[in-house]
Amino acid sequence: MDIRIRNLLLIPCLLCVLCVLGALSLFSAPSVSAHALAGGNGNISGRLLDGTNKNAPLANQQVTLQMAQASTAQDLATARTNAQGMFSFAHLATDQTVSYALYINYQGAQYTSQTISLAKQANQQQNLTVYEATRDSSKVAVVNTTLLVRDPDIHHGTFTVSAVYDFKNLNTRTYVGSLDASKGKPNALLFPLPAGSKNIKLNSGFDGYNVIQVDKGFATNAALPPGDSQFAFSYDVPYSGVSYDFSYTPLYPTVSFSALVPPDMHVSAQSLQAHGLVTGQDQHQYQNFTATVLRPQQTVHMLLEGFANPASANASSPFKLSNLWLIVGVLILIAILFATAAISHILPGKNRKRGRARGKGGYDKGSAKPAKHARSEQDELLHDLLELDKAYEAGDIAKATYNERRARTKARLRALMREREVMRR
């Protein structure tokens, strides 16, 4: 299983790199850095609060300001909170194309503010709330799991599944897992996958965190703060026939499970209820099958039928194995015909010399037929073989008849060639 381990937040501060490179870097830096270094009259301030302890201020913590323009983002500056949990960033650009965000790494979890624009209001206040961390996942549940099955890719023998998990953490602390697997399965957020899944693509919820492969799925050290969190990813499932037995085993208590399947597939699932067609986020129609209140390790099955068989794609390719043998057979017959023609041009001169010793009529003493007649019959036999192969390939004659006539013709051809060999001696 190929799992891409990513860290999408640009934690390394590009501004520090610019300082190291010196004045020359100031002229070659991207436009985002130019805005930041030019300064402005914008200001962002706020307080860092501990949500676990009734929003008490947190002192001596480092808050980072990130700046984005167009498709480029970078860490612009950092500030350390004072005794009242206050932080402030001044001299910020107020261009309409520039936006900002605050974030902090606290006890293994990342907390990010909403996007801030200073174009209409140059001075803004934005608080950040963090929570104490815990390794206890007993208060973690899945409100809803949605699996969307897409049409199969017949050429690769796979179908894609898009998964969306809506978690709820009922604790007042943030669940922060660990990817340490030295003592077995890591104590981290876990996601199941069907056997053989590949091309896993992580989408929302995983930014700034890592994942590792575990038995029957993958684990991530992504944090779950109190309240709601959503994770989304997709993966490819290999299949080899016209149907697939899809199974899903929840790892957390699940309030609702939903499987969306293309309308041209037939689904057999005793543990799921059919609710007709629904429109997905991609504006396509899907069959909707649901289940409620699934316990951990309570597996549900769906027999998906109506797949395009990958084997048929190979069989329908322009170059079939049967065609290969037909071409080889035709080439062999052509080679025999050319060899026969070459021999027929060589033998007449020798036969004329032998004719005087054979007497009138040009018969060999031990031969029942003249040489000219032997060559003519050989050509007819080769022609018969070629016509017989064509008739069989066209389906005009049965296989048993074809094999019997072909064997008889080839036997006569071998006998005729032995007679000619005796004549040449």
Side-chain angles (χ1 to χ4, degrees), residues 76-341:
L76 182 62
T78 61
R80 191 163 291 277
T81 59
N82 62 16
Q84 291 75 39
M86 296 290 298
F87 59 86
S88 179
F89 299 93
H91 308 297
L92 301 177
T94 58
D95 294 12
Q96 200 167 19
T97 59
V98 177
S99 60
Y100 302 92
L102 302 165
Y103 76 87
I104 183 175
N105 293 314
Y106 183 72
Q107 296 185 0
Q110 296 193 57
Y111 301 88
T112 306
S113 72
Q114 296 180 345
T115 301
I116 306 169
S117 175
L118 302 179
K120 295 182 179 180
Q121 185 177 346
N123 297 305
Q124 294 194 32
Q125 185 171 358
Q126 180 74 61
N127 293 337
L128 263 181
T129 302
V130 299
Y131 300 88
E132 301 299 312
T134 180
R135 295 291 176 86
D136 180 14
S137 63
S138 62
K139 295 185 179 181
V140 171
V142 177
V143 177
N144 183 68
T145 298
T146 301
L147 301 182
L148 190 152
V149 178
R150 303 188 184 274
D151 289 319
D153 183 345
I154 185 173
H155 297 291
H156 294 89
T158 61
F159 63 92
T160 301
V161 176
S162 297
V164 178
Y165 286 76
D166 293 310
F167 282 89
K168 180 174 285 292
N169 181 4
L170 301 175
N171 204 333
T172 58
R173 296 174 178 267
T174 296
Y175 170 65
V176 179
S178 170
L179 296 181
D180 180 12
S182 59
K183 297 181 180 180
K185 185 179 296 185
N187 179 11
L189 204 59
L190 302 172
F191 294 93
L193 292 172
S197 296
K198 55 186 179 180
N199 297 331
I200 292 88
K201 297 178 181 178
L202 306 178
N203 299 319
S204 62
F206 298 94
D207 293 354
Y209 297 104
N210 296 325
V211 299
I212 62 170
Q213 178 182 351
V214 296
D215 183 34
K216 299 180 181 180
F218 66 92
T220 177
N221 60 351
L224 287 180
D228 299 326
S229 300
Q230 186 179 87
F231 294 83
F233 59 94
S234 64
Y235 52 91
D236 292 342
V237 182
Y239 74 99
S240 58
V242 297
S243 63
Y244 183 87
D245 184 9
F246 188 96
S247 63
Y248 172 76
T249 304
L251 301 178
Y252 302 94
T254 301
V255 178
S256 175
F257 170 81
S258 180
L260 304 181
V261 183
D264 56 347
M265 286 187 186
H266 180 265
V267 179
S268 299
Q270 295 181 354
S271 56
L272 300 176
Q273 294 182 348
H275 293 279
L277 294 178
V278 296
T279 302
Q281 292 185 352
D282 56 3
Q283 302 304 312
H284 292 167
Q285 292 286 307
Y286 294 94
Q287 302 177 75
N288 185 21
F289 297 87
T290 65
T292 57
V293 190
L294 296 178
R295 300 183 305 275
Q297 304 301 323
Q298 181 183 345
T299 303
V300 294
H301 287 273
M302 294 188 300
L303 180 60
L304 306 177
E305 298 178 296
F307 281 54
N309 195 337
S312 63
N314 298 328
S316 61
S317 61
F319 195 77
K320 298 180 181 179
L321 186 60
S322 59
N323 292 340
L324 175 62
W325 287 113
L326 176 61
I327 293 173
V328 171
V330 171
L331 291 176
I332 292 175
L333 289 176
I334 292 174
I336 294 175
L337 290 174
F338 273 104
T340 303

Side-chain angles (χ1 to χ4, degrees), residues 48-92:
L48 183 64
L49 307 175
D50 186 348
T52 304
N53 295 305
K54 300 180 180 181
N55 291 333
L58 283 173
N60 199 30
Q61 300 295 322
Q62 181 174 287
V63 178
T64 301
L65 177 67
Q66 190 175 77
M67 181 180 185
Q69 185 177 39
S71 59
T72 305
Q74 67 180 50
D75 290 350
L76 182 62
T78 61
R80 191 163 291 277
T81 59
N82 62 16
Q84 291 75 39
M86 296 290 298
F87 59 86
S88 179
F89 299 93
H91 308 297
L92 301 177

